[in-house]
Amino acid sequence: MKAFKFLTWILLLATLISSCEKSEEPAKSSNGTFSFTKTNGKTYTTTYVDTPIPSKNGNFSLQFKKFGTTGSKWLFFVLIDNKNDLGLDIEIPTTISNGKTYTSISQNFSSGISPTIVSFYGKLDNESFTLIDTKTNLVFEKSTYPGQIVGTFTTYYPNNTILGSGKFNFVVK
């Protein structure tokens, strides 16, 4: 009988240890990434951290805010290294439609409707991109906050040639 109790305790302990290891694994894999590839083929990839602004190279974070009854603001802060960083600011005054292309549009503020804003900016390889120099098209595949956030975007120079494209896929808890 003592041997049976001993084996039962070992089995219970092994089950607890293995379940703890399994529950930790999805949290690691759910961090997700933000990447940007310039037209020359160079890709920059960072990992999601749940902080207001990333403080370590190779990380990105998201600040999210709802506004109005259906609008949302998304501020991506991407810290590649000490010389390269990016930002992607998104403001959509309506409920996001996954699969729809969003780009900055000019609207009459007197109509009471805020404009849609999609702004890509930063510095890569000694080349700066400012809010007024680029046009960015963005498509959300998943946009439930908190939850999984998935999207792609393409950024253009003022002459409409492609600067590069990016994607993000991460989980906010």
Side-chain angles (χ1 to χ4, degrees):
M1 192 64 156
K2 286 184 181 183
F4 179 75
K5 284 183 180 179
F6 180 72
L7 288 174
T8 303
W9 277 107
I10 290 176
L11 181 60
L12 180 62
L13 183 60
T15 303
L16 285 172
I17 290 171
S18 67
S19 68
C20 289
E21 288 174 8
K22 288 179 185 173
S23 66
E24 195 175 304
E25 208 49 44
K28 289 180 183 175
S29 65
S30 68
N31 283 346
T33 60
F34 181 106
S35 64
F36 183 74
T37 303
K38 290 178 70 174
T39 53
N40 67 7
K42 189 168 183 180
T43 299
Y44 306 86
T45 302
T46 57
T47 303
Y48 175 70
V49 292
D50 188 17
T51 60
I53 297 177
S55 59
K56 288 178 60 180
N57 290 341
N59 288 334
F60 80 96
S61 65
L62 170 69
Q63 292 183 16
F64 173 86
K65 180 181 178 184
K66 286 191 105 27
F67 72 93
T69 56
T70 60
S72 56
K73 293 182 183 183
W74 308 69
L75 304 173
F76 288 84
F77 296 98
V78 183
L79 180 58
I80 297 165
D81 58 36
N82 292 335
K83 296 181 180 180
N84 298 290
D85 58 12
L86 301 172
L88 179 63
D89 294 354
I90 306 158
E91 184 173 324
I92 300 175
T94 59
T95 301
I96 292 173
S97 295
N98 293 329
K100 177 181 176 181
T101 301
Y102 291 95
T103 191
S104 289
I105 56 173
S106 297
Q107 291 184 6
N108 184 348
F109 284 99
S110 64
S111 69
I113 299 173
S114 299
T116 295
I117 298 170
V118 181
S119 300
F120 178 79
Y121 55 93
K123 184 176 182 180
L124 293 173
D125 301 325
N126 295 318
E127 182 180 12
S128 293
F129 320 108
T130 64
L131 299 175
I132 58 172
D133 287 341
T134 61
K135 175 183 103 176
T136 302
N137 293 330
L138 165 77
V139 177
F140 277 105
E141 294 173 33
K142 295 183 180 180
S143 58
T144 303
Y145 185 94
Q148 188 173 18
I149 312 296
V150 180
T152 58
F153 62 96
T154 304
T155 300
Y156 300 84
Y157 287 107
N159 65 2
N160 278 337
T161 60
I162 296 176
L163 167 63
S165 59
K167 59 185 174 181
F168 47 87
N169 183 345
F170 61 104
V171 176
V172 177
K173 295 181 182 185

